[in-house]
């Protein structure tokens, strides 16, 4: 035991002389009562983070990623229903972390915060973000700033957008595709989980004109945690277990987000057929995508182009030929695994893409834009 191991050690010897006169049967044994403090003084973080809505599933993932990060420190966490309680009351598995207690948003003090992760439900973040100090960098993990057209937001989410000026400022945060834009943004709209699993394989192929823009069919499956932590009858164990449930057929809210990204890549309108399914598992997501290849293209061409496109991206892995992506292999991580297979129908390809729907997939990449690039590897503490 040395001073370099512990910050302070105090040994209480009540009667040193008595210890030296031990009974014969205990000869050679010395019993010392010690009080040991192992808590070293924590260095000041380079970037101070506030997490709004920290008691939800997405909030817990952000806290998990940040808690041990060498460049970030959490100085504020809000959760209205659990205000005044320690974070461990919501997520006991993170009880060892040195974290502030939860507070209500109305009582939040932003004077010790440099950047915000907003993990509040859809439809609630616009007014909150509008009221935040202008100098803060913000990542919004709801859908409130993902759609560039406010009228489209109103159509799909059933309410008028209440922060139109902020929407003009927001940058869509699919970091692997839009890293340069994300770096300079003050407000980043974190992509949805389904759109992330779909756009990562399709955007490079569309940009390279390797697939046709029409007739894209997407079959996606998600773990139940994607629906959030709120109590809902449809998400009860007895409703979900031992079955598969298709929902939002033709009108799921992620459709305009998916089509927005693919249309930008194609520089023309892209319409997809998208059907999501709820699976009896906690976390994980798979998108199986059916595409028509451009004339003369093969699945090997698609596979090779994806390999080249993502060769410098740590969190996107194009698997070796024939290896089927599995949600088990990305569980609890920020990785996306992709592969391409030939369809039995001539000229068509099947693309399989898997992510962890709770991994807030691109948020970890945005974290790295908050500190100088030469100071931090993109992989640092992000899994």
């Amino acid at each position: 035991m040395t001073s370099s191991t512990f910050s302070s050690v105090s040994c209480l010897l009540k009667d040193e002389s008595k210890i030296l006169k031990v009974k014969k049967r205990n000869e050679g044994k010395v019993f010392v009562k010690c009080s040991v403090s192992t808590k070293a003084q924590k260095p000041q973080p380079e970037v101070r983070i506030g997490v709004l809505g920290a008691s939800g599933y997405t909030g817990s993932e952000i806290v998990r990623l940040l808690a041990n990060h060498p460049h970030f420190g959490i100085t504020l966490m809000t959760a209205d229903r659990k205000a005044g309680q320690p974070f461990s009351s919501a997520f006991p598995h993170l009880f060892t972390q040195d974290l502030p207690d939860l507070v209500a948003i109305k009582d939040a003090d932003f004077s010790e915060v440099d950047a915000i992760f907003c993990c509040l439900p859809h439809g609630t973040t616009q007014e909150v973000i509008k009221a935040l100090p202008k100098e803060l960098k913000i990542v919004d993990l709801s859908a409130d700033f993902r759609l560039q057209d406010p009228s489209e937001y109103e159509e799909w989410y059933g309410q008028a957008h209440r922060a139109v000026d902020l929407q003009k400022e927001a940058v869509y945060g699919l970091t692997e595709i839009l890293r340069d834009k994300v770096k300079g943004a003050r407000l980043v709209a974190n992509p949805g989980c389904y759109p992330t699993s779909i756009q990562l394989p399709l955007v490079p192929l569309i940009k390279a004109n390797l697939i046709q823009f029409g007739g894209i069919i997407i079959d996606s499956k998600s773990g139940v945690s994607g629906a959030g932590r709120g109590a809902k009858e449809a998400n009860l164990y007895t409703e979900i277990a031992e079955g598969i449930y298709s929902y939002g057929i033709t009108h799921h809210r992620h459709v305009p987000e998916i089509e927005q990204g693919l249309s930008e890549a194609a520089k023309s309108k892209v319409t997809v057929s998208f059907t999501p399914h709820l699976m009896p598992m906690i976390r994980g997501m798979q998108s199986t995508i059916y595409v028509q290849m451009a004339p003369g293209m093969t699945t090997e061409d698609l596979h090779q182009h994806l390999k080249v496109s993502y060769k410098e991206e740590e969190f996107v892995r194009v698997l070796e030929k024939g290896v089927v992506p599995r949600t088990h292999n990305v569980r609890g991580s920020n990785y996306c695994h992709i592969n391409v297979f030939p369809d039995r129908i001539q000229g068509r390809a099947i693309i399989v893409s898997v992510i962890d729907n709770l991994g807030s997939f691109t948020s970890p990449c945005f974290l790295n834009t908050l500190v100088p690039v030469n100071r931090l590897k993109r992989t640092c503490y992000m899994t």
Side-chain angles (χ1 to χ4, degrees), residues 40-214:
Q41 187 170 352
K42 192 175 181 180
Q44 285 296 313
E46 292 182 43
V47 184
R48 301 165 299 177
I49 302 290
V51 182
L52 308 186
S55 63
Y57 290 138
T58 303
S60 74
E61 286 294 300
I62 292 295
V63 171
R64 180 179 68 83
L65 289 170
L66 290 171
N68 290 314
H69 199 287
H71 297 278
F72 302 95
I74 299 175
T75 54
L76 171 69
M77 296 194 298
T78 76
D80 286 358
R81 287 180 296 178
K82 291 185 177 291
Q85 300 180 37
F87 184 68
S88 59
S89 68
F91 294 99
H93 67 290
L94 294 172
F95 82 100
T96 59
Q97 304 301 331
D98 182 16
L99 297 168
D101 287 346
L102 299 165
V103 300
I105 288 183
K106 64 180 180 62
D107 299 323
D109 178 7
F110 296 100
S111 63
E112 298 295 321
V113 176
D114 301 309
I116 290 288
F117 280 86
C118 190
C119 308
L120 298 170
H122 308 313
T124 64
T125 66
Q126 296 158 36
E127 298 288 353
V128 170
I129 291 177
K130 192 161 59 173
L132 291 176
K134 303 301 181 188
E135 67 273 12
L136 294 178
K137 282 202 169 189
I138 302 162
V139 182
D140 178 33
L141 286 96
S142 79
D144 282 7
F145 291 96
R146 294 174 188 164
L147 300 181
Q148 297 169 1
D149 185 349
S151 64
E152 198 164 37
Y153 176 87
E154 183 173 0
E155 176 187 348
W156 287 87
Y157 286 87
Q159 60 186 44
H161 202 287
R162 299 189 298 277
V164 175
D165 288 341
L166 272 179
Q167 178 59 63
K168 296 174 184 176
E169 178 187 350
V171 170
Y172 189 68
L174 191 59
T175 319
E176 291 71 22
I177 306 295
L178 301 166
R179 178 168 281 110
D180 289 340
K181 289 185 177 180
V182 172
K183 281 181 181 179
R186 186 184 78 89
L187 171 58
V188 174
N190 198 77
C193 45
Y194 284 127
T196 295
S197 69
I198 293 162
Q199 291 180 87
L200 284 174
L202 288 187
V203 166
L205 300 179
I206 287 175
K207 284 184 174 181
N209 292 306
L210 296 182
I211 61 174
Q212 295 185 13
F213 303 159

Side-chain angles (χ1 to χ4, degrees), residues 329-365:
N329 294 339
V330 296
R331 182 182 172 92
S333 80
N334 308 305
Y335 287 97
C336 176
H337 288 182
I338 301 170
N339 216 339
V340 184
F341 304 89
D343 199 336
R344 292 180 61 246
I345 301 174
Q346 189 172 2
R348 290 189 70 83
I350 302 170
I351 302 168
V352 179
S353 170
V354 297
I355 63 172
D356 182 329
N357 62 293
L358 276 185
S360 308
F361 182 83
T362 53
S363 291
C365 297

Side-chain angles (χ1 to χ4, degrees), residues 3-71:
S3 58
S4 63
T5 305
F6 299 110
S7 58
S8 63
V9 177
S10 57
C11 295
L12 307 178
L13 307 178
K14 284 189 175 180
D15 192 335
E16 191 173 346
S17 62
K18 287 184 180 179
I19 292 176
L20 297 175
K21 297 176 183 178
V22 291
K23 291 183 179 180
K24 200 166 188 177
R25 67 175 179 272
N26 288 329
E27 191 170 356
K29 299 178 183 178
V30 178
F31 298 91
V32 182
K33 184 178 179 182
C34 293
S35 173
V36 181
S37 173
T38 62
K39 190 174 181 181
Q41 187 170 352
K42 192 175 181 180
Q44 285 296 313
E46 292 182 43
V47 184
R48 301 165 299 177
I49 302 290
V51 182
L52 308 186
S55 63
Y57 290 138
T58 303
S60 74
E61 286 294 300
I62 292 295
V63 171
R64 180 179 68 83
L65 289 170
L66 290 171
N68 290 314
H69 199 287
H71 297 278

